[in-house]
Every structure is written in C-alpha cells, then in structure tokens.
Amino acid sequence: MSAATTRSRTPDRLCVEAVDLARAAAEEAAYPGVVGEHTAAIAEGDRVVTHFFECKDPGYRGWRWAVTVTRASRAKNVTLDETVLLPGDDALLAPEWVPWSERLRPGDMGPGDLLPTDAEDLRLEAGWSGEDAPPPNSVVSTEMAELVEAEDADVTDRAVVPVRGSITSVAEELGMRRARVLSRYGLHSAADRWDESFGAKTPMAQAAPASCVSCGFLVAIGGSLGQAFGVCANEFGPADGRLVSLSYGCGGHSEAAVMPKPPRPAPPVLDSMASDEFHLRPSSDSGSVLTTDPLAPDLGHS
C-alpha cells in the first residue's frame, strides 16, 4: 500500500486527541522550551497518528518534532510509538556527504599531509619495475654478470642492489625505476590544467608582445611535456618559477623591449677668435635713460 493511500485515511479520533501525550513525549526527548506549537496530525495507518510540533531550537530551523501514537483494536488507551526530529520543507540541512577524494582541491595539502593514490588511478599506469630479465644470449646477462661476481663478491644480496650493468641498474641510475608512471590521460589532464593557468588564452598572453618560445628566460624541461612547456626564470614576471606553455607570454619577454642607451651630450665648442659685445650702459633709444647728453659742451663759464 502506498504512502498516499495510507495518509488519505481518516485519522483515529482518540489518537488525534492525544496531543498532550505527544507533547510530553517530545519534551522528554528534547528539553523544555524547545517544543513549540502543534502544527498537524497525520494518519499513518489504522489507529496510527503522527503529531507534528514546531521546533524552536535555533540550530534546527525548519525542523519538526514528530511523535507517533497508536492504540490497539477495541482499546481506549493511546500509547506512544516513537519520537523523532524530522526536517520540514524549508529545513536547514547539512550538505550531501562527498568523499574526501572528491572534495580535495589544489592547494589543500599542508606540511605533513599524506595524499594516497588509488590503485586504479586513471592518471597513472604501470611503469618498468625491473622484472624483465635480459635474454640468455645478452651481453648483460653473461659477461657483465661474471664481472659483477668478480668485483662485488662481498656485496649484499642482489635482490636489493641491482646487478651492475643490467637494465635495472641503468634504469635506477636514470631515475626510471618507478612502479607507476603518468599515463597518457594523466599527461593530457596535467597539460590542460597548466595551459589554463599559463597558456595562450590567458589575458596576459593575449596582450604580450611575444611568446615564451622565443624568450631568453625560459628554462627547457625534458620529456614529452618539454615540447609544449617550460619553466619561467624571470623574477619580475608573473609566472616566475611556474610551468608555462610555450605559447604563453608576458611583458617581461627578454626581447620585447630593449632599454635605449642614455643620450650623450655634444662636446663643448670654444671659440677663442671672436668676441661678443656686451653693453655696459643701456642704449639711448631704450627709453630707460634721460635724453640729456651727460657730456655737455663747455660754454666758457668758469
């Protein structure tokens, strides 16, 4: 029988009238002052009614106290069934639980934190573990093995130390002896992530005078990712010490702008053959002197 059918039944009268019994049960489960007004009574089945009371606890906004009461057939005594706190339509609920592996974001790890990887992580694939033995007619397995026995007779167990000259020892020396390495999916996802931060589509790269592929501050990296990425070594650039795409660029490009040399003044020229005329007195036509001749002629008076 569906829930809609059971709730469409007529509630039992005695169970509906047992409001005080339901309130007492709710207050006993909570504490006084938290159980509010009676809001509804719904029939859950034959002689089974659930009473709802408002919850006044600030931490449970929109929740309701639900107390279910019932009575036996042909009995007049109403008994308590259960008391629970249920969320309403506008209740404040906790967010849906998400596993930690899906909640983790870049930058969440701190000092001392450990991040385990799943055995089926799509970003990783099986690497070369050294279990492949060289063929019987290989020089590594015959002559080099005899040389190792002669030189390292007192060395510890070879299960721990790779045989010198073997593929395992060469791979270990080059740093290639790893249980798992990046898969093709892991490489592509990393490249997409790095290109999103320091790639050609960023506003900085769109306004750059040139790309990083021609910049002198670019430090090349090895591997397949070295064909598309490098490390910026410009301490004044926005991506200093970061992995940048070769198509990225910024205003700190090494060849974008060359500072001009300071201008050199012209050498001084001294003319010792000519003379410059300097007036010690203002001229008479300038209007700043009297028109009377300062050297008047002698009229013969003593």
Side-chain angles (χ1 to χ4, degrees), residues 70-103:
T70 184
R71 69 181 181 90
S73 177
R74 299 181 182 180
K76 296 182 179 181
N77 295 331
V78 178
T79 59
L80 179 66
D81 189 1
E82 64 176 354
T83 303
V84 294
L85 184 62
L86 298 178
D89 296 335
D90 57 344
L92 181 63
L93 301 176
E96 185 179 357
W97 182 83
V98 180
W100 68 267
S101 58
E102 300 179 13
R103 298 195 308 266

Side-chain angles (χ1 to χ4, degrees), residues 153-202:
D154 298 332
V155 178
T156 55
D157 188 6
R158 294 175 191 166
V160 179
V161 179
V163 178
R164 183 181 301 175
S166 63
I167 298 177
T168 303
S169 63
V170 174
E172 188 175 61
E173 183 177 355
L174 296 177
M176 298 170 55
R177 192 182 183 187
R178 294 175 291 172
R180 289 191 294 177
V181 295
L182 274 175
S183 62
R184 193 173 186 85
Y185 170 77
L187 288 172
H188 286 183
S189 61
D192 293 341
R193 186 171 59 255
W194 297 337
D195 189 74
E196 183 178 355
S197 301
F198 297 99
K201 296 182 180 180
T202 58

Side-chain angles (χ1 to χ4, degrees), residues 2-42:
S2 62
T5 303
T6 57
R7 297 200 176 193
S8 64
R9 297 177 179 178
T10 302
D12 183 76
R13 182 180 61 83
L14 295 179
C15 291
V16 171
E17 294 176 354
V19 177
D20 295 337
L21 174 64
R23 177 180 295 275
E27 292 179 349
E28 182 180 359
Y31 52 88
V34 174
V35 181
E37 299 295 330
H38 182 267
T39 58
I42 300 176

